[in-house]
Amino acid sequence: MLLSLVLHTYSMRYLLPSVLLLGSAPTYLLAWTLWRVLSALMPARLYQRVDDRLYCVYQNMVLFFFENYTGVQILLYGDLPKNKENVIYLANHQSTVDWIVADMLAARQDALGHVRYVLKDKLKWLPLYGFYFAQHGGIYVKRSAKFNDKEMRSKLQSYVNAGTPMYLVIFPEGTRYNATYTKLLSASQAFAAQRGLAVLKHVLTPRIKATHVAFDSMKSHLDAIYDVTVVYEGNEKGSGKYSNPPSMTEFLCKQCPKLHIHFDRIDRNEVPEEQEHMKKWLHERFEIKDR
């Protein structure tokens, strides 16, 4: 019985970080609200600088649990710049932990406060977080035909005009890849085949709209594109083989001993600006991820 209790307690070890992170969110939002009110008559750049700092403090607490508490070994391939840059961060999408991986890299450049996300529209209804992400510079977008490029372009242009530091995270696949979602994978492969594109097996066919709008709106403000490929290493039966990526809860329960991150910095001048050419370029980048 005692052994059973110990095992049950160990399986619930995600509760500590969950309680602390979710429990501190209202306090954080209150602090941000007070600063928002106090800064109403101050220069916008001063508000942005303090907001970025507040965001950095909270996200450092998040990273403490995802890096130190889990004991995950992070293996980074490629040369991550030491200096802050204005970038678009493009990555494959498999898990809710992917959002934290972007923070891990940004923190290593002292740019954690500059991270802003392009998010699915329905995420704006997340309690507390949904509202704040938009205030911090996040952009909510709808998929496919409902995608509003004018609204996204307008928001990004306002950030560029204000000189807002940008570490803009985009997942071009539009949804999470999972090998067990056979219908989703088949549809993605059929879409590529119909358009004469290489058929991908380990990632989904990337969509170009958000990436193109972001690049076109921010090109005068950008330094580079960060092309990031993430692989989660499983620990089933101690084999160390790659498995389906862990959920956020599974990750916090230490079910991912190694996190492989391949990083490639691409200068903005090397990225084609015309949408059809960029579409081909983006698919070629995902071919490399697939391999």
Side-chain angles (χ1 to χ4, degrees):
M1 184 174 182
L2 180 60
L3 179 59
S4 178
L5 178 61
V6 170
L7 290 174
H8 180 68
T9 302
Y10 187 67
S11 69
M12 299 291 284
R13 58 194 178 278
Y14 68 90
L15 283 180
L16 174 61
S18 298
V19 169
L20 286 176
L21 294 175
L22 294 175
S24 61
T27 302
Y28 172 80
L29 190 62
L30 177 60
W32 171 81
T33 302
L34 291 173
W35 170 241
R36 184 65 168 165
V37 172
L38 291 173
S39 65
L41 300 178
M42 298 180 186
R45 290 198 178 189
L46 177 60
Y47 159 75
Q48 190 68 62
R49 192 174 300 120
V50 176
D51 174 50
D52 286 355
R53 186 58 192 162
L54 286 171
Y55 183 79
C56 183
V57 169
Y58 181 80
Q59 289 301 100
N60 269 317
M61 182 171 63
V62 173
L63 287 180
F64 170 80
F65 286 108
F66 279 88
E67 290 198 47
N68 302 98
Y69 180 80
T70 61
V72 65
Q73 182 182 357
I74 299 173
L75 301 173
L76 180 60
Y77 310 87
D79 298 321
L80 184 70
K82 295 182 179 179
N83 300 325
K84 300 176 185 178
E85 296 186 291
N86 290 315
V87 303
I88 296 175
Y89 171 110
L90 302 176
N92 58 316
H93 193 20
Q94 311 161 81
S95 166
T96 46
V97 183
D98 294 336
W99 304 100
I100 309 300
V101 174
D103 288 349
M104 290 176 180
L105 296 187
R108 284 159 172 74
Q109 294 179 271
D110 195 26
L112 188 53
H114 301 169
V115 175
R116 315 182 202 280
Y117 303 108
V118 174
L119 302 143
K120 290 185 291 188
D121 188 65
K122 65 180 182 181
L123 292 178
K124 68 183 178 184
W125 304 112
L126 281 174
L128 302 179
Y129 294 100
F131 170 75
Y132 176 71
F133 281 146
Q135 303 305 308
H136 184 65
I139 299 173
Y140 291 105
V141 297
K142 295 181 179 179
R143 293 178 181 172
S144 303
K146 295 182 179 179
F147 178 81
N148 190 331
D149 62 321
K150 291 182 179 179
E151 183 177 347
M152 180 178 178
R153 190 181 297 274
S154 176
K155 288 182 179 179
L156 287 172
Q157 192 61 58
S158 69
Y159 299 148
V160 171
N161 293 342
T164 305
M166 296 295 289
Y167 198 103
L168 187 68
V169 178
I170 301 177
F171 298 110
E173 290 162 287
T175 191
R176 292 194 296 271
Y177 167 90
N178 189 312
T180 62
Y181 298 165
T182 54
K183 289 186 178 180
L184 178 64
L185 183 57
S186 295
S188 173
Q189 293 174 338
F191 179 87
Q194 289 169 4
R195 286 157 180 78
L197 301 170
V199 174
L200 309 175
K201 298 179 180 179
H202 307 292
V203 293
L204 300 176
T205 303
R207 306 180 185 196
I208 189 60
K209 288 182 180 179
T211 303
H212 180 259
V213 170
F215 185 87
D216 193 52
S217 303
M218 297 169 55
K219 58 189 176 185
S220 63
H221 192 55
L222 282 179
D223 295 303
I225 299 285
Y226 287 177
D227 183 10
V228 178
T229 305
V230 180
V231 178
Y232 299 89
E233 186 169 327
N235 61 357
E236 61 275 8
K237 298 181 181 179
S239 67
K241 291 181 179 179
Y242 300 127
S243 63
N244 284 329
S247 66
M248 197 168 283
T249 299
E250 290 169 338
F251 194 92
L252 288 171
C253 285
K254 307 183 181 183
Q255 294 185 25
C256 179
K258 292 182 181 180
L259 177 60
H260 302 261
I261 307 172
H262 184 278
F263 174 85
D264 194 5
R265 181 190 184 278
I266 303 168
D267 190 271
R268 66 173 184 181
N269 295 322
E270 297 177 21
V271 181
E273 296 185 17
E274 199 275 325
Q275 183 168 332
E276 281 303 311
H277 293 160
M278 184 182 289
K279 181 178 181 179
K280 183 176 182 293
W281 170 85
L282 182 61
H283 197 85
E284 289 172 351
R285 297 307 306 181
F286 269 73
E287 287 182 60
I288 296 172
K289 294 182 187 297
D290 196 55
R291 290 196 294 270

